Coordinates of all heavy atoms in Angstrom, one line a residue:
M284 N 36.6 78.5 -57.6 CA 37.2 78.0 -58.8 C 37.1 76.4 -58.8 O 37.4 75.8 -57.8 CB 38.7 78.3 -58.8 CG 39.5 77.8 -60.0 SD 41.2 78.4 -59.9 CE 42.0 77.3 -61.1
I285 N 36.7 76.0 -59.9 CA 36.5 74.5 -60.0 C 37.6 73.9 -60.9 O 37.8 74.4 -62.0 CB 35.1 74.2 -60.6 CG1 34.0 74.7 -59.6 CG2 34.9 72.7 -60.8 CD1 32.6 74.6 -60.1
I286 N 38.3 72.9 -60.4 CA 39.3 72.3 -61.2 C 38.8 70.9 -61.6 O 38.4 70.1 -60.7 CB 40.6 72.1 -60.3 CG1 41.1 73.5 -59.9 CG2 41.7 71.4 -61.2 CD1 42.2 73.4 -58.9
F287 N 38.7 70.7 -62.9 CA 38.3 69.4 -63.3 C 39.2 68.9 -64.5 O 39.9 69.7 -65.0 CB 36.8 69.4 -63.7 CG 36.5 70.2 -64.9 CD1 36.5 69.7 -66.2 CD2 36.3 71.6 -64.8 CE1 36.3 70.5 -67.3 CE2 36.0 72.4 -65.9 CZ 36.0 71.8 -67.1
G288 N 39.1 67.7 -64.8 CA 40.0 67.1 -65.8 C 39.7 65.7 -66.1 O 38.6 65.2 -65.7
T289 N 40.6 65.0 -66.7 CA 40.5 63.6 -66.9 C 41.8 62.9 -66.5 O 42.9 63.5 -66.4 CB 40.2 63.2 -68.4 OG1 41.3 63.7 -69.2 CG2 38.9 63.8 -68.9
K290 N 41.7 61.7 -66.1 CA 42.8 60.9 -65.7 C 42.7 59.5 -66.4 O 41.7 58.9 -66.4 CB 42.8 60.7 -64.2 CG 44.1 60.2 -63.7 CD 44.1 60.4 -62.1 CE 45.4 60.0 -61.5 NZ 45.4 60.2 -60.1
G291 N 43.8 59.2 -67.1 CA 43.8 57.9 -67.8 C 44.5 56.8 -67.0 O 45.5 57.0 -66.4
Y292 N 43.9 55.6 -67.0 CA 44.4 54.5 -66.4 C 44.7 53.4 -67.5 O 43.8 53.2 -68.3 CB 43.5 53.9 -65.4 CG 43.2 54.8 -64.2 CD1 42.2 55.8 -64.3 CD2 44.0 54.7 -63.0 CE1 42.0 56.6 -63.2 CE2 43.7 55.5 -62.0 CZ 42.8 56.5 -62.0 OH 42.5 57.3 -61.0
L293 N 45.8 52.8 -67.4 CA 46.2 51.8 -68.4 C 46.4 50.5 -67.7 O 47.2 50.4 -66.7 CB 47.4 52.2 -69.1 CG 47.8 51.4 -70.4 CD1 46.7 51.6 -71.5 CD2 49.1 51.9 -70.9
Y294 N 45.6 49.5 -68.0 CA 45.7 48.2 -67.4 C 46.2 47.1 -68.4 O 45.7 47.1 -69.5 CB 44.3 47.7 -66.9 CG 43.7 48.6 -65.9 CD1 42.8 49.5 -66.3 CD2 44.0 48.5 -64.5 CE1 42.2 50.4 -65.4 CE2 43.4 49.4 -63.6 CZ 42.5 50.3 -64.0 OH 41.9 51.1 -63.1
Q295 N 47.2 46.4 -68.1 CA 47.6 45.3 -68.9 C 46.8 44.0 -68.4 O 47.0 43.6 -67.3 CB 49.1 45.0 -68.9 CG 49.5 44.0 -69.8 CD 51.0 43.9 -70.0 OE1 51.6 44.9 -70.4 NE2 51.6 42.8 -69.8
L296 N 45.9 43.5 -69.3 CA 45.1 42.5 -68.9 C 45.7 41.1 -69.1 O 45.5 40.2 -68.3 CB 43.7 42.5 -69.6 CG 42.9 43.8 -69.5 CD1 41.7 43.8 -70.3 CD2 42.6 44.1 -68.1
A297 N 46.4 40.9 -70.2 CA 47.0 39.6 -70.5 C 48.0 39.7 -71.6 O 48.1 40.8 -72.3 CB 45.8 38.7 -70.9
I298 N 48.8 38.7 -71.8 CA 49.6 38.6 -72.9 C 49.3 37.3 -73.7 O 49.2 36.2 -73.1 CB 51.1 38.6 -72.5 CG1 51.5 39.9 -71.9 CG2 52.0 38.3 -73.7 CD1 52.9 40.0 -71.4
L299 N 49.0 37.5 -75.0 CA 48.5 36.4 -75.8 C 49.4 36.2 -77.0 O 50.0 37.1 -77.5 CB 47.1 36.7 -76.3 CG 46.1 37.1 -75.3 CD1 45.4 38.3 -75.7 CD2 45.1 35.9 -75.1
T300 N 49.5 34.9 -77.4 CA 50.1 34.7 -78.7 C 49.1 34.6 -79.8 O 48.2 33.7 -79.8 CB 50.9 33.4 -78.6 OG1 51.9 33.5 -77.6 CG2 51.7 33.1 -79.9
L301 N 49.1 35.6 -80.7 CA 48.2 35.7 -81.8 C 48.9 35.9 -83.1 O 50.1 36.4 -83.1 CB 47.3 36.9 -81.6 CG 46.4 37.0 -80.3 CD1 45.8 38.3 -80.2 CD2 45.4 35.9 -80.3
V302 N 48.3 35.5 -84.2 CA 48.8 35.8 -85.5 C 48.5 37.2 -85.8 O 47.3 37.6 -85.8 CB 48.3 34.8 -86.6 CG1 48.8 35.3 -87.9 CG2 48.7 33.4 -86.3
C303 N 49.5 38.0 -86.0 CA 49.3 39.5 -86.2 C 48.6 39.7 -87.6 O 49.1 39.2 -88.6 CB 50.6 40.2 -86.1 SG 50.5 41.9 -86.4
G304 N 47.6 40.6 -87.6 CA 47.0 40.9 -88.8 C 47.9 41.9 -89.7 O 47.7 42.0 -90.9
Q305 N 48.9 42.5 -89.0 CA 49.7 43.4 -89.7 C 50.9 42.8 -90.3 O 51.2 42.9 -91.5 CB 50.1 44.5 -88.7 CG 50.8 45.7 -89.3 CD 49.9 46.6 -90.1 OE1 48.7 46.7 -89.8 NE2 50.5 47.3 -91.1
C306 N 51.7 42.1 -89.5 CA 53.0 41.5 -90.0 C 52.9 40.0 -90.2 O 53.8 39.4 -90.8 CB 54.1 41.8 -89.0 SG 53.9 41.0 -87.4
G307 N 51.7 39.4 -89.8 CA 51.5 38.0 -90.2 C 52.3 37.0 -89.3 O 52.3 35.8 -89.5
N308 N 53.0 37.5 -88.3 CA 53.8 36.6 -87.4 C 53.0 36.2 -86.2 O 52.2 37.0 -85.7 CB 55.0 37.4 -86.9 CG 56.1 37.5 -87.9 OD1 56.7 36.5 -88.4 ND2 56.4 38.7 -88.4
P309 N 53.1 34.9 -85.8 CA 52.5 34.5 -84.5 C 53.3 35.1 -83.4 O 54.3 34.4 -82.9 CB 52.6 33.0 -84.6 CG 53.6 32.6 -85.5 CD 53.9 33.8 -86.4
A310 N 53.0 36.2 -82.9 CA 53.8 36.9 -81.9 C 53.0 37.2 -80.7 O 51.8 37.1 -80.7 CB 54.3 38.3 -82.5
A311 N 53.7 37.5 -79.6 CA 53.0 37.9 -78.4 C 52.3 39.2 -78.5 O 52.9 40.2 -79.1 CB 54.0 38.0 -77.2
H312 N 51.1 39.3 -78.1 CA 50.3 40.5 -78.1 C 49.9 40.9 -76.7 O 49.5 40.0 -75.9 CB 49.1 40.4 -78.9 CG 49.3 40.3 -80.4 ND1 50.0 39.3 -81.0 CD2 48.9 41.1 -81.4 CE1 50.0 39.5 -82.3 NE2 49.4 40.6 -82.6
T313 N 50.0 42.1 -76.4 CA 49.5 42.6 -75.1 C 48.1 43.0 -75.2 O 47.8 43.8 -76.1 CB 50.4 43.7 -74.5 OG1 50.5 44.8 -75.5 CG2 51.8 43.2 -74.1
L314 N 47.3 42.6 -74.3 CA 45.9 43.0 -74.2 C 45.8 44.1 -73.2 O 46.1 43.9 -72.0 CB 45.0 41.8 -73.9 CG 43.5 42.1 -73.7 CD1 42.8 42.6 -75.0 CD2 42.8 40.8 -73.2
R315 N 45.3 45.2 -73.6 CA 45.3 46.4 -72.7 C 43.9 47.0 -72.6 O 43.1 47.0 -73.6 CB 46.2 47.5 -73.1 CG 47.7 47.1 -73.0 CD 48.5 48.3 -73.1 NE 49.9 48.0 -73.2 CZ 50.7 48.3 -74.2 NH1 50.1 49.0 -75.2 NH2 51.9 48.0 -74.3
K316 N 43.6 47.6 -71.4 CA 42.4 48.3 -71.3 C 42.8 49.7 -70.8 O 43.6 49.9 -69.9 CB 41.5 47.7 -70.2 CG 40.2 48.4 -70.0 CD 39.3 47.6 -69.1 CE 39.5 47.8 -67.6 NZ 38.5 47.3 -66.8
R317 N 42.2 50.7 -71.5 CA 42.5 52.1 -71.1 C 41.2 52.7 -70.6 O 40.2 52.8 -71.4 CB 43.0 52.9 -72.3 CG 43.3 54.3 -72.0 CD 43.8 55.1 -73.2 NE 45.2 54.7 -73.5 CZ 46.2 55.3 -72.9 NH1 46.0 56.3 -72.1 NH2 47.4 55.0 -73.3
V318 N 41.2 53.2 -69.4 CA 40.0 53.8 -68.8 C 40.3 55.3 -68.6 O 41.3 55.6 -68.0 CB 39.6 53.1 -67.5 CG1 38.3 53.8 -66.9 CG2 39.4 51.6 -67.7
T319 N 39.4 56.1 -69.1 CA 39.5 57.5 -68.9 C 38.5 58.0 -67.9 O 37.3 57.7 -68.1 CB 39.4 58.3 -70.2 OG1 40.3 57.9 -71.1 CG2 39.6 59.8 -69.9
K320 N 38.9 58.6 -66.8 CA 38.0 59.0 -65.7 C 37.9 60.5 -65.6 O 38.9 61.2 -65.8 CB 38.4 58.4 -64.4 CG 38.1 56.9 -64.3 CD 38.4 56.3 -62.9 CE 38.0 54.9 -62.9 NZ 38.4 54.3 -61.6
F321 N 36.7 60.9 -65.3 CA 36.5 62.3 -65.1 C 36.9 62.7 -63.6 O 36.6 61.9 -62.7 CB 35.0 62.7 -65.2 CG 34.6 64.1 -64.9 CD1 34.8 65.1 -65.9 CD2 34.1 64.4 -63.7 CE1 34.5 66.4 -65.6 CE2 33.8 65.8 -63.4 CZ 34.0 66.7 -64.4
T322 N 37.7 63.7 -63.5 CA 38.1 64.1 -62.1 C 37.6 65.5 -61.8 O 37.5 66.3 -62.6 CB 39.7 64.1 -62.0 OG1 40.2 65.0 -62.9 CG2 40.2 62.7 -62.4
L323 N 37.3 65.6 -60.5 CA 36.9 66.9 -60.0 C 37.8 67.2 -58.8 O 37.9 66.3 -57.9 CB 35.5 66.9 -59.6 CG 34.8 68.2 -59.2 CD1 34.9 69.2 -60.4 CD2 33.4 68.0 -58.7
F324 N 38.6 68.3 -58.8 CA 39.6 68.5 -57.8 C 40.5 67.3 -57.6 O 40.8 66.9 -56.5 CB 38.9 68.9 -56.4 CG 38.1 70.2 -56.5 CD1 36.8 70.2 -56.5 CD2 38.8 71.4 -56.6 CE1 36.0 71.4 -56.6 CE2 38.1 72.6 -56.7 CZ 36.7 72.6 -56.7
F325 N 40.9 66.8 -58.8 CA 41.9 65.7 -58.8 C 41.4 64.4 -58.2 O 42.1 63.4 -58.0 CB 43.2 66.1 -58.2 CG 43.8 67.4 -58.7 CD1 43.8 68.5 -57.9 CD2 44.2 67.4 -60.0 CE1 44.2 69.7 -58.4 CE2 44.7 68.6 -60.5 CZ 44.7 69.8 -59.8
V326 N 40.1 64.3 -58.0 CA 39.5 63.1 -57.4 C 38.7 62.4 -58.6 O 37.8 63.0 -59.1 CB 38.5 63.3 -56.3 CG1 37.9 62.0 -55.8 CG2 39.2 64.1 -55.2
P327 N 39.1 61.2 -59.0 CA 38.4 60.5 -60.0 C 37.0 60.1 -59.6 O 36.8 59.6 -58.5 CB 39.3 59.2 -60.2 CG 40.5 59.3 -59.4 CD 40.2 60.4 -58.4
L328 N 36.1 60.5 -60.4 CA 34.7 60.3 -60.1 C 34.0 59.1 -60.8 O 33.5 58.2 -60.2 CB 33.8 61.6 -60.3 CG 34.1 62.8 -59.4 CD1 33.2 63.9 -59.8 CD2 34.0 62.4 -58.0
F329 N 34.0 59.2 -62.1 CA 33.4 58.1 -62.9 C 34.1 58.0 -64.2 O 34.7 59.0 -64.8 CB 31.9 58.4 -63.1 CG 31.6 59.8 -63.7 CD1 31.6 60.0 -65.0 CD2 31.3 60.8 -62.8 CE1 31.3 61.2 -65.6 CE2 31.0 62.1 -63.3 CZ 31.0 62.3 -64.7
P330 N 34.1 56.8 -64.8 CA 34.7 56.6 -66.1 C 34.0 57.2 -67.2 O 32.7 57.1 -67.3 CB 34.8 55.1 -66.2 CG 33.8 54.5 -65.3 CD 33.5 55.6 -64.2
I331 N 34.7 57.9 -68.1 CA 34.0 58.5 -69.3 C 34.1 57.5 -70.5 O 33.1 57.4 -71.2 CB 34.8 59.8 -69.7 CG1 34.9 60.8 -68.6 CG2 34.1 60.4 -70.9 CD1 35.8 61.9 -68.9
S332 N 35.2 56.9 -70.6 CA 35.4 55.9 -71.7 C 36.3 54.8 -71.4 O 37.2 54.9 -70.5 CB 35.9 56.6 -73.0 OG 37.3 56.9 -72.9
T333 N 36.0 53.6 -72.0 CA 36.8 52.5 -71.8 C 37.2 51.9 -73.2 O 36.3 51.7 -74.0 CB 36.1 51.4 -71.0 OG1 35.7 52.0 -69.7 CG2 37.0 50.2 -70.7
K334 N 38.5 51.7 -73.4 CA 38.9 51.2 -74.7 C 39.8 50.0 -74.5 O 40.6 50.0 -73.6 CB 39.7 52.3 -75.5 CG 38.8 53.4 -76.0 CD 39.7 54.4 -76.7 CE 38.9 55.7 -77.0 NZ 39.7 56.8 -77.3
H335 N 39.6 49.0 -75.3 CA 40.4 47.8 -75.3 C 41.2 47.7 -76.6 O 40.7 48.0 -77.7 CB 39.5 46.5 -75.2 CG 38.8 46.4 -73.9 ND1 37.6 47.0 -73.7 CD2 39.1 45.8 -72.8 CE1 37.2 46.8 -72.5 NE2 38.1 46.0 -71.9
T336 N 42.5 47.4 -76.4 CA 43.4 47.3 -77.6 C 44.3 46.1 -77.4 O 44.6 45.6 -76.3 CB 44.3 48.5 -77.8 OG1 45.0 48.7 -76.6 CG2 43.4 49.8 -78.1
T337 N 44.8 45.5 -78.5 CA 45.9 44.6 -78.5 C 47.0 45.2 -79.3 O 46.8 45.9 -80.2 CB 45.5 43.2 -79.2 OG1 45.1 43.5 -80.5 CG2 44.5 42.5 -78.4
Q338 N 48.2 45.0 -78.8 CA 49.4 45.5 -79.5 C 50.4 44.3 -79.7 O 50.7 43.6 -78.8 CB 50.1 46.6 -78.7 CG 51.2 47.2 -79.6 CD 51.8 48.4 -78.9 OE1 51.8 48.5 -77.6 NE2 52.3 49.3 -79.6
C339 N 50.8 44.2 -81.0 CA 51.8 43.2 -81.4 C 53.1 43.6 -80.9 O 53.6 44.8 -81.1 CB 51.8 43.1 -83.0 SG 53.0 42.0 -83.6
T340 N 53.8 42.7 -80.2 CA 55.1 43.1 -79.7 C 56.2 42.9 -80.8 O 57.3 43.4 -80.6 CB 55.5 42.2 -78.5 OG1 55.5 40.8 -78.9 CG2 54.6 42.4 -77.3
F341 N 55.8 42.4 -81.9 CA 56.8 42.2 -83.0 C 56.9 43.4 -83.8 O 58.0 43.9 -84.1 CB 56.4 41.0 -83.8 CG 57.4 40.5 -84.7 CD1 58.5 39.6 -84.3 CD2 57.4 40.9 -86.1 CE1 59.4 39.2 -85.1 CE2 58.4 40.4 -86.9 CZ 59.4 39.6 -86.5
C342 N 55.8 43.9 -84.3 CA 55.8 45.1 -85.2 C 55.2 46.3 -84.6 O 55.3 47.4 -85.1 CB 55.1 44.8 -86.5 SG 53.3 44.6 -86.4
G343 N 54.5 46.1 -83.4 CA 54.0 47.3 -82.7 C 52.6 47.7 -83.2 O 52.1 48.8 -82.7
A344 N 52.0 47.0 -84.1 CA 50.7 47.3 -84.6 C 49.7 47.2 -83.5 O 49.7 46.2 -82.7 CB 50.3 46.5 -85.8
E345 N 48.8 48.2 -83.4 CA 47.8 48.2 -82.4 C 46.4 48.1 -83.0 O 46.2 48.7 -84.1 CB 47.8 49.5 -81.6 CG 47.3 49.4 -80.2 CD 47.5 50.7 -79.4 OE1 47.0 51.8 -79.9 OE2 48.2 50.7 -78.4
S346 N 45.6 47.2 -82.5 CA 44.2 47.1 -83.0 C 43.2 47.2 -81.9 O 43.4 46.8 -80.8 CB 44.1 45.8 -83.8 OG 44.6 44.7 -83.1
K347 N 42.1 47.8 -82.3 CA 41.0 48.0 -81.3 C 40.2 46.8 -81.2 O 39.9 46.1 -82.2 CB 40.2 49.2 -81.7 CG 40.9 50.5 -81.5 CD 40.0 51.7 -82.0 CE 40.9 53.0 -82.0 NZ 40.2 54.0 -82.7
L348 N 39.6 46.6 -80.0 CA 38.7 45.5 -79.8 C 37.5 46.0 -79.1 O 37.4 47.0 -78.5 CB 39.4 44.5 -78.8 CG 40.7 43.7 -79.2 CD1 41.1 42.9 -78.0 CD2 40.4 42.8 -80.4
T349 N 36.4 45.2 -79.3 CA 35.2 45.5 -78.6 C 35.4 44.9 -77.2 O 36.3 44.1 -76.9 CB 34.0 44.8 -79.2 OG1 34.1 43.4 -79.2 CG2 33.8 45.3 -80.6
K350 N 34.6 45.3 -76.2 CA 34.6 44.8 -74.9 C 34.5 43.3 -74.9 O 35.2 42.6 -74.1 CB 33.5 45.5 -74.1 CG 33.5 45.2 -72.6 CD 32.5 46.1 -71.9 CE 32.4 45.8 -70.4 NZ 31.6 44.6 -70.2
E351 N 33.6 42.8 -75.7 CA 33.3 41.4 -75.7 C 34.5 40.6 -76.2 O 34.8 39.5 -75.7 CB 32.1 41.1 -76.7 CG 30.7 41.5 -76.1 CD 30.5 43.0 -76.1 OE1 31.2 43.7 -76.9 OE2 29.8 43.5 -75.2
Q352 N 35.1 41.1 -77.3 CA 36.3 40.4 -77.8 C 37.4 40.4 -76.8 O 38.1 39.4 -76.6 CB 36.8 41.2 -79.1 CG 36.0 41.0 -80.3 CD 36.5 41.9 -81.5 OE1 36.8 43.0 -81.3 NE2 36.5 41.3 -82.7
A353 N 37.6 41.5 -76.1 CA 38.6 41.6 -75.1 C 38.4 40.6 -74.0 O 39.3 40.0 -73.5 CB 38.7 43.1 -74.6
E354 N 37.1 40.5 -73.5 CA 36.8 39.6 -72.4 C 37.1 38.2 -72.8 O 37.5 37.4 -72.1 CB 35.4 39.8 -72.0 CG 35.2 41.1 -71.1 CD 33.8 41.4 -70.8 OE1 32.9 40.7 -71.4 OE2 33.5 42.3 -70.1
Q355 N 36.7 37.9 -74.1 CA 36.9 36.5 -74.6 C 38.4 36.2 -74.6 O 38.8 35.1 -74.2 CB 36.4 36.5 -76.0 CG 35.9 35.1 -76.4 CD 35.3 35.1 -77.8 OE1 35.4 36.1 -78.5 NE2 34.6 34.0 -78.1
L356 N 39.3 37.1 -75.1 CA 40.7 36.9 -75.2 C 41.3 36.8 -73.8 O 42.2 35.9 -73.5 CB 41.4 38.0 -75.9 CG 41.2 38.1 -77.4 CD1 41.9 39.3 -78.0 CD2 41.8 36.8 -78.1
Q357 N 40.8 37.6 -72.9 CA 41.3 37.5 -71.5 C 41.0 36.2 -70.9 O 41.8 35.6 -70.2 CB 40.7 38.7 -70.7 CG 41.5 38.9 -69.4 CD 40.8 40.0 -68.5 OE1 39.9 40.6 -69.0 NE2 41.4 40.2 -67.4
A358 N 39.8 35.7 -71.1 CA 39.3 34.5 -70.6 C 40.2 33.3 -71.1 O 40.6 32.4 -70.4 CB 37.9 34.2 -70.9
Q359 N 40.5 33.4 -72.4 CA 41.4 32.4 -73.0 C 42.8 32.4 -72.4 O 43.4 31.4 -72.1 CB 41.7 32.8 -74.5 CG 40.7 32.2 -75.5 CD 41.0 32.6 -76.9 OE1 42.1 32.9 -77.2 NE2 39.9 32.8 -77.7
A360 N 43.3 33.6 -72.1 CA 44.7 33.8 -71.6 C 44.8 33.4 -70.2 O 45.9 32.8 -69.8 CB 45.1 35.2 -71.8
T361 N 43.8 33.6 -69.4 CA 43.9 33.4 -68.0 C 43.2 32.1 -67.5 O 43.2 31.8 -66.3 CB 43.3 34.6 -67.2 OG1 42.0 34.7 -67.5 CG2 44.1 35.8 -67.5
G362 N 42.5 31.4 -68.4 CA 41.7 30.3 -68.1 C 40.5 30.7 -67.3 O 40.0 29.9 -66.5
G363 N 40.0 31.9 -67.5 CA 38.8 32.3 -66.8 C 38.9 32.7 -65.4 O 37.9 32.7 -64.6
Q364 N 40.1 32.9 -64.9 CA 40.3 33.2 -63.5 C 40.6 34.6 -63.2 O 40.9 35.0 -62.1 CB 41.5 32.4 -63.0 CG 41.2 30.9 -62.9 CD 42.4 30.1 -62.4 OE1 43.5 30.6 -62.2 NE2 42.2 28.8 -62.3
G365 N 40.4 35.4 -64.2 CA 40.6 36.9 -64.0 C 42.0 37.2 -64.2 O 42.9 36.4 -63.9
G366 N 42.3 38.4 -64.6 CA 43.7 38.8 -64.8 C 44.2 39.7 -63.7 O 43.6 40.0 -62.8
Q367 N 45.5 39.9 -63.9 CA 46.2 40.8 -62.9 C 45.9 42.3 -63.5 O 46.0 42.5 -64.6 CB 47.7 40.6 -62.9 CG 48.0 39.2 -62.5 CD 49.5 39.0 -62.7 OE1 50.0 39.4 -63.7 NE2 50.1 38.3 -61.8
M368 N 45.7 43.1 -62.5 CA 45.5 44.5 -62.9 C 46.5 45.4 -62.2 O 46.6 45.5 -61.0 CB 44.1 45.0 -62.6 CG 43.0 44.5 -63.5 SD 41.6 45.6 -63.5 CE 40.5 44.7 -64.6
H369 N 47.3 46.0 -63.1 CA 48.3 46.9 -62.5 C 48.0 48.3 -63.1 O 48.3 48.5 -64.3 CB 49.7 46.5 -62.9 CG 50.1 45.2 -62.3 ND1 50.3 45.0 -60.9 CD2 50.3 43.9 -62.8 CE1 50.6 43.7 -60.7 NE2 50.6 43.1 -61.8
G370 N 47.5 49.1 -62.3 CA 47.1 50.5 -62.8 C 48.4 51.3 -62.9 O 49.2 51.3 -62.0
Q371 N 48.4 52.1 -64.0 CA 49.5 53.1 -64.1 C 48.9 54.4 -64.4 O 48.7 54.7 -65.6 CB 50.5 52.7 -65.2 CG 51.3 51.4 -64.9 CD 52.1 51.0 -66.1 OE1 51.8 51.2 -67.2 NE2 53.2 50.3 -65.8
P372 N 48.5 55.1 -63.4 CA 47.8 56.4 -63.6 C 48.7 57.3 -64.4 O 49.8 57.5 -64.2 CB 47.6 56.9 -62.2 CG 47.7 55.8 -61.3 CD 48.7 54.9 -62.0
Q373 N 48.0 57.9 -65.4 CA 48.7 58.9 -66.2 C 47.9 60.2 -66.2 O 46.8 60.3 -66.7 CB 48.8 58.5 -67.7 CG 49.7 57.2 -67.9 CD 49.6 56.7 -69.3 OE1 48.6 56.8 -69.9 NE2 50.7 56.1 -69.7
Q374 N 48.5 61.2 -65.5 CA 47.8 62.4 -65.3 C 47.7 63.2 -66.6 O 48.7 63.3 -67.4 CB 48.6 63.3 -64.3 CG 47.8 64.5 -63.8 CD 47.0 64.1 -62.6 OE1 47.4 63.4 -61.7 NE2 45.8 64.7 -62.5
Q375 N 46.5 63.6 -66.9 CA 46.3 64.5 -68.1 C 45.5 65.7 -67.7 O 44.3 65.8 -67.8 CB 45.5 63.7 -69.2 CG 46.3 62.5 -69.7 CD 45.5 61.7 -70.6 OE1 44.2 61.6 -70.5 NE2 46.1 61.0 -71.6
P376 N 46.2 66.7 -67.1 CA 45.5 67.9 -66.6 C 44.8 68.6 -67.7 O 45.2 68.7 -68.8 CB 46.6 68.7 -66.1 CG 47.8 67.9 -66.0 CD 47.6 66.8 -67.0
Y377 N 43.6 69.1 -67.4 CA 42.8 69.8 -68.3 C 42.1 70.9 -67.6 O 41.2 70.7 -66.8 CB 41.8 68.8 -68.9 CG 40.8 69.4 -69.9 CD1 41.2 69.5 -71.2 CD2 39.6 69.9 -69.5 CE1 40.3 70.1 -72.2 CE2 38.7 70.4 -70.4 CZ 39.1 70.5 -71.7 OH 38.2 71.1 -72.6
Q378 N 42.6 72.1 -67.8 CA 42.0 73.2 -67.1 C 41.5 74.2 -68.0 O 42.1 74.5 -69.1 CB 43.1 73.8 -66.2 CG 43.5 72.9 -65.0 CD 44.6 73.5 -64.2 OE1 44.9 74.6 -64.3 NE2 45.1 72.7 -63.3
S379 N 40.4 74.8 -67.6 CA 39.8 75.9 -68.5 C 39.8 77.2 -67.7 O 39.9 77.2 -66.5 CB 38.4 75.5 -68.9 OG 37.6 75.3 -67.8
Ligands
ZN58 ZN1 52.7 42.4 -85.9

């Protein structure tokens, strides 16, 4: 029996002050990266997908970013010194 599935990791890369496209307020936005990894017997093997998003802390609107946009924003926020990465594994069992 082979057990496989996916596991999601959520990283908060930076917090930025941006003018929100949804509510128009210059509010703090969290820049996040979500990585989904393929797991075999609960061991993460390789990433299947990586998504970058920003979320407005004022109205909660979330918008997708390209990898390039995310890297640019992260560089702005951290002064190009790299961000803190705090992984919060979220188990998403998937069995067939
Ligand atoms: Zn907003």
Side-chain angles (χ1 to χ4, degrees):
M284 182 178 165
I285 296 172
I286 301 169
F287 64 95
T289 60
K290 195 168 184 179
Y292 295 85
L293 193 63
Y294 301 97
Q295 184 168 304
L296 301 179
I298 294 179
L299 305 132
T300 302
L301 301 169
V302 176
C303 176
Q305 187 74 27
C306 66
N308 285 296
H312 286 63
T313 51
L314 175 64
R315 294 197 189 117
K316 180 170 85 166
R317 178 183 286 275
V318 181
T319 305
K320 287 186 177 176
F321 177 81
T322 62
L323 190 63
F324 295 106
F325 308 109
V326 179
L328 290 183
F329 52 85
I331 305 170
S332 76
T333 305
K334 286 175 190 165
H335 294 86
T336 57
T337 56
Q338 188 175 26
C339 175
T340 56
F341 193 82
C342 70
E345 205 174 58
S346 47
K347 288 177 188 168
L348 297 174
T349 64
K350 185 170 176 282
E351 287 73 25
Q352 286 175 316
E354 281 172 356
Q355 206 174 16
L356 285 177
Q357 193 185 357
Q359 270 176 31
T361 60
Q364 292 179 353
Q367 300 169 319
M368 284 208 180
H369 297 290
Q371 293 175 331
Q373 294 172 328
Q374 192 91 39
Q375 294 172 336
Y377 180 84
Q378 291 176 10
S379 58

